[in-house]
Amino acid sequence: MESYYREDLAYIHDAGFGHFAENAALMLIKLLRQQGKNSGFIIDLGCGSGIAIAKLQESGYNCLGIDISIDAIAKLINSICTIARKS
């Protein structure tokens, strides 16, 4: 299988464009809350390193992240492990 985002592009996407994912998650949370949806299950297709998932989970939503990039998913897993160690 061809790799789309390898480690270098996964890093660039995370570090350079992560704020877009974070802002989109915050906007989605606001819209969901306005509709009375304070919890639920969200599927994030193209989740990248999971920046949006982290914000959604912090706000009480359960999430499933899917991405074509193995390296982006690896960054997501490393982030989850780091958060778990801090807890």
Side-chain angles (χ1 to χ4, degrees), residues 38-69:
N38 296 315
S39 64
F41 186 74
I42 296 173
I43 299 173
D44 184 355
L45 300 174
C47 68
S49 61
I51 293 169
I53 288 174
K55 288 292 174 194
L56 290 161
Q57 287 185 323
E58 287 172 8
S59 297
Y61 300 91
N62 295 313
C63 300
L64 169 66
I66 299 171
D67 201 282
I68 197 167
S69 169

Side-chain angles (χ1 to χ4, degrees), residues 9-43:
L9 288 178
Y11 171 79
I12 290 168
H13 187 269
D14 180 65
F17 301 103
H19 61 283
F20 288 115
E22 185 172 348
N23 289 337
L26 295 172
M27 183 182 300
L28 178 58
I29 292 163
K30 181 179 177 182
L31 290 171
L32 288 168
R33 297 248 163 97
Q34 287 174 348
Q35 297 298 314
K37 307 290 184 191
N38 296 315
S39 64
F41 186 74
I42 296 173
I43 299 173

